[in-house]
Amino acid sequence: MAGDAAETVVCLNPAIEPLSWMMGTWISDTPGKGCYPTIKPFKYMEEIKITHVGQPMLNISCNGFNPETKKPMHRECGFFRIKPGTNKVAFICAQNTGVVEIEEGEVNGQELALSSHSVARISFAKEPHVQQISRTFRLLKDGKLEHTVFMATDNQPLLQHLHITYTRCI
């Protein structure tokens, strides 16, 4: 009986249909680039999984790793929610760095643009503290998913921090 539940196909909740182009397992085929004035530029690989369980939201998990050593780097998990009947989207995200974000924005076709509504952190988070995040997910004409992240901290304005493209593998 328990195995029957695992085999049940769950229908996509109609509320999240405008985000369905994001669903799947995506892996970077070339290293993404990270930079910021307060850190040394770096490269990273990443796998993201965007799934659903029939609720009016998408689940996301991101696992970044060093392209040379394969050692883990950053990790994120969260949810995309869409306000029914609109193109307004909320993204709730927790990072292994101790930062939690709530971002809001809009989906237009196959592009999702988000900006932080609130950013919280653990009391012993590394300085300088993140104050603002904005990001864009875009499905490119070649079928790849592009993700660009901008960040502002206590001592830096909103600047591009991360850029990566992924290929859908599932």
Short mmCIF file of all heavy atoms in Angstrom, two decimals, residues 69-131:
data_model
loop_
_atom_site.label_atom_id
_atom_site.label_comp_id
_atom_site.label_asym_id
_atom_site.label_seq_id
_atom_site.Cartn_x
_atom_site.Cartn_y
_atom_site.Cartn_z
N THR A 69 37.36 20.60 -7.63
CA THR A 69 37.46 19.64 -6.53
C THR A 69 36.16 18.88 -6.29
O THR A 69 36.17 17.88 -5.57
CB THR A 69 37.85 20.35 -5.23
OG1 THR A 69 36.77 21.21 -4.84
CG2 THR A 69 39.14 21.15 -5.39
N LYS A 70 35.06 19.39 -6.83
CA LYS A 70 33.71 18.83 -6.62
C LYS A 70 33.22 18.98 -5.18
O LYS A 70 32.20 18.43 -4.80
CB LYS A 70 33.61 17.36 -7.04
CG LYS A 70 34.09 17.08 -8.45
CD LYS A 70 33.28 17.82 -9.48
CE LYS A 70 33.71 17.42 -10.89
NZ LYS A 70 33.82 18.51 -11.79
N LYS A 71 33.94 19.75 -4.36
CA LYS A 71 33.51 19.97 -2.98
C LYS A 71 32.28 20.88 -2.95
O LYS A 71 32.17 21.80 -3.76
CB LYS A 71 34.63 20.62 -2.16
CG LYS A 71 35.76 19.66 -1.86
CD LYS A 71 36.78 20.29 -0.95
CE LYS A 71 37.87 19.28 -0.61
NZ LYS A 71 38.87 19.85 0.28
N PRO A 72 31.36 20.62 -2.01
CA PRO A 72 30.15 21.45 -1.91
C PRO A 72 30.50 22.91 -1.63
O PRO A 72 31.47 23.20 -0.93
CB PRO A 72 29.40 20.85 -0.73
CG PRO A 72 29.99 19.52 -0.49
CD PRO A 72 31.40 19.57 -1.01
N MET A 73 29.68 23.79 -2.18
CA MET A 73 29.81 25.22 -1.92
C MET A 73 28.50 25.69 -1.28
O MET A 73 28.21 25.31 -0.17
CB MET A 73 30.17 25.97 -3.20
CG MET A 73 31.58 25.61 -3.72
SD MET A 73 32.01 26.29 -5.32
CE MET A 73 32.18 28.02 -4.96
N HIS A 74 27.71 26.45 -2.00
CA HIS A 74 26.47 26.95 -1.41
C HIS A 74 25.31 25.99 -1.67
O HIS A 74 25.33 25.21 -2.61
CB HIS A 74 26.13 28.34 -1.96
CG HIS A 74 25.77 28.32 -3.42
ND1 HIS A 74 26.70 28.39 -4.42
CD2 HIS A 74 24.57 28.22 -4.02
CE1 HIS A 74 26.09 28.33 -5.59
NE2 HIS A 74 24.79 28.23 -5.38
N ARG A 75 24.31 26.10 -0.80
CA ARG A 75 23.08 25.31 -0.93
C ARG A 75 21.91 26.23 -0.62
O ARG A 75 22.00 27.08 0.26
CB ARG A 75 23.08 24.12 0.02
CG ARG A 75 24.22 23.16 -0.28
CD ARG A 75 24.12 21.92 0.51
NE ARG A 75 22.93 21.21 0.03
CZ ARG A 75 22.60 19.98 0.38
NH1 ARG A 75 23.37 19.33 1.21
NH2 ARG A 75 21.52 19.41 -0.08
N GLU A 76 20.84 26.04 -1.34
CA GLU A 76 19.62 26.81 -1.12
C GLU A 76 18.42 25.88 -1.27
O GLU A 76 18.48 24.93 -2.05
CB GLU A 76 19.47 27.93 -2.15
CG GLU A 76 20.58 28.94 -2.16
CD GLU A 76 20.41 30.01 -3.24
OE1 GLU A 76 19.39 30.00 -3.95
OE2 GLU A 76 21.30 30.84 -3.37
N CYS A 77 17.36 26.18 -0.56
CA CYS A 77 16.09 25.48 -0.78
C CYS A 77 14.97 26.47 -0.54
O CYS A 77 15.12 27.44 0.21
CB CYS A 77 15.96 24.25 0.09
SG CYS A 77 15.97 24.58 1.85
N GLY A 78 13.86 26.23 -1.22
CA GLY A 78 12.76 27.16 -1.06
C GLY A 78 11.56 26.82 -1.90
O GLY A 78 11.42 25.68 -2.38
N PHE A 79 10.73 27.83 -2.10
CA PHE A 79 9.44 27.66 -2.76
C PHE A 79 9.12 28.88 -3.61
O PHE A 79 9.43 30.01 -3.23
CB PHE A 79 8.33 27.51 -1.72
CG PHE A 79 8.59 26.43 -0.72
CD1 PHE A 79 9.21 26.73 0.48
CD2 PHE A 79 8.26 25.12 -0.99
CE1 PHE A 79 9.48 25.74 1.42
CE2 PHE A 79 8.53 24.12 -0.07
CZ PHE A 79 9.14 24.43 1.13
N PHE A 80 8.48 28.63 -4.74
CA PHE A 80 7.90 29.68 -5.57
C PHE A 80 6.39 29.58 -5.41
O PHE A 80 5.82 28.52 -5.60
CB PHE A 80 8.23 29.47 -7.06
CG PHE A 80 9.67 29.61 -7.40
CD1 PHE A 80 10.46 28.48 -7.56
CD2 PHE A 80 10.24 30.85 -7.60
CE1 PHE A 80 11.79 28.59 -7.91
CE2 PHE A 80 11.58 30.97 -7.94
CZ PHE A 80 12.35 29.84 -8.10
N ARG A 81 5.76 30.69 -5.07
CA ARG A 81 4.29 30.75 -4.99
C ARG A 81 3.82 31.82 -5.95
O ARG A 81 4.50 32.85 -6.10
CB ARG A 81 3.84 31.11 -3.58
CG ARG A 81 4.14 30.04 -2.55
CD ARG A 81 3.48 30.36 -1.23
NE ARG A 81 2.04 30.36 -1.37
CZ ARG A 81 1.26 29.35 -0.97
NH1 ARG A 81 1.78 28.28 -0.43
NH2 ARG A 81 -0.04 29.41 -1.13
N ILE A 82 2.70 31.59 -6.58
CA ILE A 82 2.14 32.58 -7.48
C ILE A 82 0.78 33.02 -6.94
O ILE A 82 0.01 32.18 -6.42
CB ILE A 82 2.05 32.04 -8.93
CG1 ILE A 82 1.73 33.15 -9.91
CG2 ILE A 82 1.08 30.90 -9.04
CD1 ILE A 82 2.04 32.80 -11.36
N LYS A 83 0.51 34.30 -6.99
CA LYS A 83 -0.79 34.80 -6.56
C LYS A 83 -1.79 34.40 -7.65
O LYS A 83 -1.65 34.83 -8.80
CB LYS A 83 -0.75 36.31 -6.38
CG LYS A 83 -2.03 36.89 -5.85
CD LYS A 83 -1.89 38.39 -5.61
CE LYS A 83 -3.19 38.96 -5.07
NZ LYS A 83 -3.07 40.41 -4.87
N PRO A 84 -2.76 33.55 -7.31
CA PRO A 84 -3.69 33.03 -8.33
C PRO A 84 -4.33 34.15 -9.15
O PRO A 84 -4.71 35.20 -8.62
CB PRO A 84 -4.74 32.28 -7.51
CG PRO A 84 -4.01 31.86 -6.28
CD PRO A 84 -3.07 33.01 -5.98
N GLY A 85 -4.39 33.90 -10.45
CA GLY A 85 -5.03 34.85 -11.36
C GLY A 85 -4.17 36.04 -11.73
O GLY A 85 -4.64 36.96 -12.39
N THR A 86 -2.89 36.02 -11.29
CA THR A 86 -1.99 37.13 -11.61
C THR A 86 -0.66 36.56 -12.10
O THR A 86 -0.47 35.36 -12.15
CB THR A 86 -1.70 38.01 -10.36
OG1 THR A 86 -0.80 37.29 -9.49
CG2 THR A 86 -2.97 38.36 -9.60
N ASN A 87 0.26 37.47 -12.41
CA ASN A 87 1.62 37.06 -12.75
C ASN A 87 2.58 37.37 -11.59
O ASN A 87 3.78 37.32 -11.75
CB ASN A 87 2.09 37.72 -14.05
CG ASN A 87 2.24 39.23 -13.91
OD1 ASN A 87 1.67 39.86 -13.01
ND2 ASN A 87 3.02 39.82 -14.80
N LYS A 88 2.04 37.67 -10.42
CA LYS A 88 2.86 38.01 -9.25
C LYS A 88 3.35 36.75 -8.56
O LYS A 88 2.58 35.84 -8.28
CB LYS A 88 2.06 38.88 -8.29
CG LYS A 88 1.55 40.15 -8.95
CD LYS A 88 1.45 41.29 -8.00
CE LYS A 88 0.97 42.56 -8.67
NZ LYS A 88 1.76 43.03 -9.77
N VAL A 89 4.66 36.73 -8.28
CA VAL A 89 5.31 35.54 -7.72
C VAL A 89 6.07 35.91 -6.46
O VAL A 89 6.69 36.99 -6.39
CB VAL A 89 6.29 34.93 -8.76
CG1 VAL A 89 7.03 33.73 -8.18
CG2 VAL A 89 5.55 34.54 -10.03
N ALA A 90 6.05 35.02 -5.48
CA ALA A 90 6.88 35.14 -4.29
C ALA A 90 7.86 33.98 -4.27
O ALA A 90 7.52 32.86 -4.67
CB ALA A 90 6.03 35.13 -3.02
N PHE A 91 9.07 34.25 -3.83
CA PHE A 91 10.12 33.23 -3.71
C PHE A 91 10.62 33.28 -2.28
O PHE A 91 11.08 34.32 -1.81
CB PHE A 91 11.24 33.52 -4.70
CG PHE A 91 12.43 32.60 -4.62
CD1 PHE A 91 12.27 31.22 -4.58
CD2 PHE A 91 13.71 33.11 -4.62
CE1 PHE A 91 13.38 30.37 -4.52
CE2 PHE A 91 14.82 32.28 -4.57
CZ PHE A 91 14.65 30.91 -4.53
N ILE A 92 10.51 32.17 -1.58
CA ILE A 92 10.99 32.04 -0.20
C ILE A 92 12.21 31.13 -0.26
O ILE A 92 12.13 30.02 -0.79
CB ILE A 92 9.92 31.43 0.73
CG1 ILE A 92 8.63 32.27 0.69
CG2 ILE A 92 10.42 31.31 2.15
CD1 ILE A 92 7.57 31.68 -0.18
N CYS A 93 13.35 31.60 0.25
CA CYS A 93 14.61 30.88 0.06
C CYS A 93 15.45 30.90 1.34
O CYS A 93 15.64 31.96 1.94
CB CYS A 93 15.39 31.55 -1.07
SG CYS A 93 17.03 30.88 -1.38
N ALA A 94 15.95 29.73 1.73
CA ALA A 94 16.89 29.62 2.85
C ALA A 94 18.22 29.12 2.31
O ALA A 94 18.26 28.20 1.49
CB ALA A 94 16.35 28.65 3.90
N GLN A 95 19.30 29.74 2.75
CA GLN A 95 20.64 29.38 2.29
C GLN A 95 21.47 28.81 3.43
O GLN A 95 21.27 29.18 4.59
CB GLN A 95 21.36 30.63 1.74
CG GLN A 95 20.65 31.29 0.60
CD GLN A 95 21.42 32.49 0.10
OE1 GLN A 95 22.62 32.62 0.27
NE2 GLN A 95 20.71 33.41 -0.54
N ASN A 96 22.43 27.97 3.10
CA ASN A 96 23.29 27.39 4.12
C ASN A 96 24.25 28.42 4.73
O ASN A 96 24.91 28.14 5.72
CB ASN A 96 24.07 26.19 3.57
CG ASN A 96 25.06 26.56 2.50
OD1 ASN A 96 24.90 27.54 1.78
ND2 ASN A 96 26.09 25.75 2.36
N THR A 97 24.28 29.62 4.20
CA THR A 97 25.10 30.69 4.76
C THR A 97 24.41 31.37 5.94
O THR A 97 24.99 32.23 6.59
CB THR A 97 25.41 31.75 3.69
OG1 THR A 97 24.16 32.27 3.20
CG2 THR A 97 26.21 31.17 2.54
N GLY A 98 23.15 31.00 6.18
CA GLY A 98 22.40 31.61 7.28
C GLY A 98 21.52 32.75 6.85
O GLY A 98 20.96 33.46 7.68
N VAL A 99 21.35 32.94 5.55
CA VAL A 99 20.50 34.00 5.02
C VAL A 99 19.17 33.40 4.58
O VAL A 99 19.14 32.33 3.98
CB VAL A 99 21.18 34.71 3.82
CG1 VAL A 99 20.25 35.73 3.17
CG2 VAL A 99 22.47 35.38 4.27
N VAL A 100 18.09 34.10 4.90
CA VAL A 100 16.75 33.73 4.46
C VAL A 100 16.17 34.93 3.73
O VAL A 100 16.24 36.05 4.23
CB VAL A 100 15.85 33.33 5.65
CG1 VAL A 100 14.45 32.99 5.17
CG2 VAL A 100 16.46 32.17 6.42
N GLU A 101 15.61 34.68 2.55
CA GLU A 101 15.07 35.77 1.74
C GLU A 101 13.61 35.53 1.41
O GLU A 101 13.19 34.40 1.23
CB GLU A 101 15.79 35.85 0.39
CG GLU A 101 17.27 35.78 0.40
CD GLU A 101 17.79 35.35 -0.96
OE1 GLU A 101 17.23 35.75 -2.00
OE2 GLU A 101 18.76 34.59 -0.98
N ILE A 102 12.87 36.60 1.30
CA ILE A 102 11.56 36.59 0.67
C ILE A 102 11.67 37.60 -0.46
O ILE A 102 11.96 38.78 -0.24
CB ILE A 102 10.43 36.98 1.63
CG1 ILE A 102 10.32 35.95 2.76
CG2 ILE A 102 9.11 37.10 0.87
CD1 ILE A 102 9.32 36.30 3.82
N GLU A 103 11.50 37.10 -1.67
CA GLU A 103 11.57 37.94 -2.86
C GLU A 103 10.22 37.93 -3.54
O GLU A 103 9.49 36.94 -3.47
CB GLU A 103 12.64 37.42 -3.83
CG GLU A 103 14.03 37.40 -3.23
CD GLU A 103 15.06 36.76 -4.15
OE1 GLU A 103 14.84 36.69 -5.38
OE2 GLU A 103 16.09 36.31 -3.62
N GLU A 104 9.89 39.02 -4.18
CA GLU A 104 8.65 39.11 -4.93
C GLU A 104 8.92 39.74 -6.28
O GLU A 104 9.86 40.52 -6.44
CB GLU A 104 7.60 39.91 -4.16
CG GLU A 104 7.17 39.23 -2.88
CD GLU A 104 6.08 39.97 -2.14
OE1 GLU A 104 5.64 41.05 -2.58
OE2 GLU A 104 5.65 39.44 -1.09
N GLY A 105 8.11 39.36 -7.25
CA GLY A 105 8.27 39.90 -8.59
C GLY A 105 7.18 39.39 -9.50
O GLY A 105 6.08 39.05 -9.05
N GLU A 106 7.52 39.30 -10.79
CA GLU A 106 6.54 38.91 -11.79
C GLU A 106 7.13 37.93 -12.77
O GLU A 106 8.32 37.99 -13.09
CB GLU A 106 6.03 40.13 -12.55
CG GLU A 106 5.30 41.13 -11.68
CD GLU A 106 4.77 42.32 -12.46
OE1 GLU A 106 5.15 42.50 -13.64
OE2 GLU A 106 3.97 43.06 -11.88
N VAL A 107 6.26 37.04 -13.26
CA VAL A 107 6.62 36.15 -14.36
C VAL A 107 5.98 36.73 -15.61
O VAL A 107 4.80 37.08 -15.61
CB VAL A 107 6.18 34.68 -14.10
CG1 VAL A 107 4.69 34.55 -13.89
CG2 VAL A 107 6.66 33.77 -15.22
N ASN A 108 6.78 36.88 -16.64
CA ASN A 108 6.30 37.36 -17.93
C ASN A 108 6.82 36.41 -18.99
O ASN A 108 8.03 36.40 -19.28
CB ASN A 108 6.78 38.79 -18.20
CG ASN A 108 6.08 39.78 -17.29
OD1 ASN A 108 4.86 39.88 -17.30
ND2 ASN A 108 6.84 40.49 -16.47
N GLY A 109 5.93 35.60 -19.53
CA GLY A 109 6.35 34.58 -20.49
C GLY A 109 7.29 33.61 -19.79
O GLY A 109 6.94 33.02 -18.77
N GLN A 110 8.49 33.48 -20.33
CA GLN A 110 9.47 32.55 -19.77
C GLN A 110 10.62 33.31 -19.10
O GLN A 110 11.80 32.96 -19.26
CB GLN A 110 9.94 31.60 -20.85
CG GLN A 110 8.78 30.72 -21.32
CD GLN A 110 9.16 29.74 -22.38
OE1 GLN A 110 10.00 30.00 -23.22
NE2 GLN A 110 8.53 28.58 -22.35
N GLU A 111 10.24 34.34 -18.34
CA GLU A 111 11.19 35.09 -17.54
C GLU A 111 10.55 35.42 -16.20
O GLU A 111 9.41 35.87 -16.15
CB GLU A 111 11.62 36.38 -18.25
CG GLU A 111 12.60 37.20 -17.42
CD GLU A 111 13.14 38.39 -18.17
OE1 GLU A 111 13.56 38.25 -19.32
OE2 GLU A 111 13.12 39.49 -17.57
N LEU A 112 11.30 35.20 -15.14
CA LEU A 112 10.86 35.51 -13.79
C LEU A 112 11.86 36.48 -13.17
O LEU A 112 13.04 36.15 -13.04
CB LEU A 112 10.77 34.23 -12.94
CG LEU A 112 10.45 34.40 -11.46
CD1 LEU A 112 9.10 35.08 -11.26
CD2 LEU A 112 10.49 33.05 -10.76
N ALA A 113 11.40 37.68 -12.83
CA ALA A 113 12.24 38.70 -12.21
C ALA A 113 11.75 38.93 -10.78
O ALA A 113 10.57 39.16 -10.56
CB ALA A 113 12.19 39.99 -13.01
N LEU A 114 12.69 38.84 -9.83
CA LEU A 114 12.36 38.94 -8.41
C LEU A 114 13.29 39.92 -7.71
O LEU A 114 14.47 40.03 -8.08
CB LEU A 114 12.52 37.57 -7.75
CG LEU A 114 11.65 36.44 -8.30
CD1 LEU A 114 12.27 35.09 -8.01
CD2 LEU A 114 10.26 36.55 -7.73
N SER A 115 12.78 40.57 -6.68
CA SER A 115 13.59 41.45 -5.82
C SER A 115 13.22 41.19 -4.38
O SER A 115 12.05 40.91 -4.07
CB SER A 115 13.34 42.92 -6.14
OG SER A 115 13.79 43.23 -7.43
N SER A 116 14.19 41.33 -3.49
CA SER A 116 13.95 41.01 -2.09
C SER A 116 12.91 41.94 -1.47
O SER A 116 12.92 43.14 -1.69
CB SER A 116 15.24 41.03 -1.28
OG SER A 116 15.89 42.27 -1.41
N HIS A 117 12.03 41.32 -0.73
CA HIS A 117 11.03 42.02 0.07
C HIS A 117 11.55 42.11 1.50
O HIS A 117 11.36 43.09 2.20
CB HIS A 117 9.72 41.26 -0.03
CG HIS A 117 8.61 41.75 0.82
ND1 HIS A 117 8.45 43.06 1.17
CD2 HIS A 117 7.57 41.11 1.39
CE1 HIS A 117 7.39 43.19 1.93
NE2 HIS A 117 6.84 42.02 2.08
N SER A 118 12.24 41.03 1.92
CA SER A 118 12.90 41.03 3.22
C SER A 118 14.06 40.04 3.19
O SER A 118 14.03 39.05 2.47
CB SER A 118 11.93 40.70 4.35
OG SER A 118 11.43 39.40 4.20
N VAL A 119 15.09 40.36 3.96
CA VAL A 119 16.27 39.51 4.10
C VAL A 119 16.55 39.39 5.59
O VAL A 119 16.62 40.40 6.30
CB VAL A 119 17.51 40.12 3.38
CG1 VAL A 119 18.73 39.25 3.60
CG2 VAL A 119 17.25 40.32 1.89
N ALA A 120 16.69 38.17 6.07
CA ALA A 120 17.02 37.93 7.47
C ALA A 120 18.26 37.04 7.52
O ALA A 120 18.61 36.40 6.52
CB ALA A 120 15.85 37.26 8.19
N ARG A 121 18.92 37.02 8.66
CA ARG A 121 20.15 36.23 8.78
C ARG A 121 20.32 35.75 10.21
O ARG A 121 19.76 36.33 11.14
CB ARG A 121 21.36 37.04 8.34
CG ARG A 121 21.74 38.15 9.28
CD ARG A 121 22.73 39.13 8.71
NE ARG A 121 22.28 39.87 7.57
CZ ARG A 121 21.43 40.89 7.59
NH1 ARG A 121 20.91 41.28 8.74
NH2 ARG A 121 21.08 41.52 6.50
N ILE A 122 21.12 34.70 10.35
CA ILE A 122 21.47 34.25 11.69
C ILE A 122 22.34 35.31 12.36
O ILE A 122 22.97 36.12 11.69
CB ILE A 122 22.17 32.87 11.65
CG1 ILE A 122 23.45 32.92 10.81
CG2 ILE A 122 21.22 31.80 11.14
CD1 ILE A 122 24.25 31.62 10.82
N SER A 123 22.36 35.30 13.67
CA SER A 123 23.06 36.35 14.42
C SER A 123 24.56 36.37 14.18
O SER A 123 25.21 37.40 14.33
CB SER A 123 22.78 36.22 15.92
OG SER A 123 23.29 34.98 16.40
N PHE A 124 25.14 35.24 13.78
CA PHE A 124 26.59 35.19 13.57
C PHE A 124 26.94 35.03 12.09
O PHE A 124 27.98 34.49 11.74
CB PHE A 124 27.22 34.07 14.41
CG PHE A 124 26.54 32.73 14.28
CD1 PHE A 124 26.98 31.80 13.36
CD2 PHE A 124 25.46 32.41 15.09
CE1 PHE A 124 26.36 30.57 13.24
CE2 PHE A 124 24.84 31.18 14.99
CZ PHE A 124 25.28 30.25 14.05
N ALA A 125 26.07 35.55 11.21
CA ALA A 125 26.34 35.50 9.76
C ALA A 125 27.58 36.32 9.43
O ALA A 125 27.87 37.34 10.08
CB ALA A 125 25.14 36.03 8.98
N LYS A 126 28.28 35.87 8.43
CA LYS A 126 29.50 36.53 7.98
C LYS A 126 29.20 37.95 7.49
O LYS A 126 28.20 38.19 6.84
CB LYS A 126 30.11 35.69 6.84
CG LYS A 126 31.41 36.18 6.32
CD LYS A 126 31.94 35.23 5.25
CE LYS A 126 33.18 35.79 4.59
NZ LYS A 126 33.63 34.92 3.50
N GLU A 127 30.07 38.87 7.84
CA GLU A 127 29.94 40.25 7.36
C GLU A 127 30.74 40.40 6.07
O GLU A 127 31.68 39.66 5.85
CB GLU A 127 30.46 41.22 8.42
CG GLU A 127 29.58 41.25 9.65
CD GLU A 127 30.00 42.30 10.67
OE1 GLU A 127 30.95 43.07 10.40
OE2 GLU A 127 29.39 42.34 11.74
N PRO A 128 30.41 41.35 5.21
CA PRO A 128 29.30 42.29 5.34
C PRO A 128 27.97 41.60 5.11
O PRO A 128 27.87 40.64 4.35
CB PRO A 128 29.58 43.32 4.25
CG PRO A 128 30.35 42.59 3.21
CD PRO A 128 31.14 41.55 3.94
N HIS A 129 26.94 42.07 5.78
CA HIS A 129 25.62 41.44 5.71
C HIS A 129 24.90 41.78 4.42
O HIS A 129 24.92 42.93 3.96
CB HIS A 129 24.76 41.87 6.89
CG HIS A 129 25.28 41.36 8.19
ND1 HIS A 129 25.12 42.06 9.36
CD2 HIS A 129 25.94 40.23 8.52
CE1 HIS A 129 25.67 41.38 10.35
NE2 HIS A 129 26.17 40.26 9.86
N VAL A 130 24.24 40.78 3.85
CA VAL A 130 23.41 40.98 2.67
C VAL A 130 22.20 41.82 3.07
O VAL A 130 21.54 41.55 4.08
CB VAL A 130 22.93 39.63 2.09
CG1 VAL A 130 21.97 39.85 0.93
CG2 VAL A 130 24.12 38.78 1.66
N GLN A 131 21.93 42.86 2.29
CA GLN A 131 20.80 43.75 2.55
C GLN A 131 19.71 43.64 1.49
O GLN A 131 18.54 43.90 1.77
CB GLN A 131 21.27 45.21 2.63
CG GLN A 131 22.23 45.47 3.75
CD GLN A 131 21.60 45.27 5.12
OE1 GLN A 131 20.42 45.52 5.32
NE2 GLN A 131 22.38 44.79 6.06
#
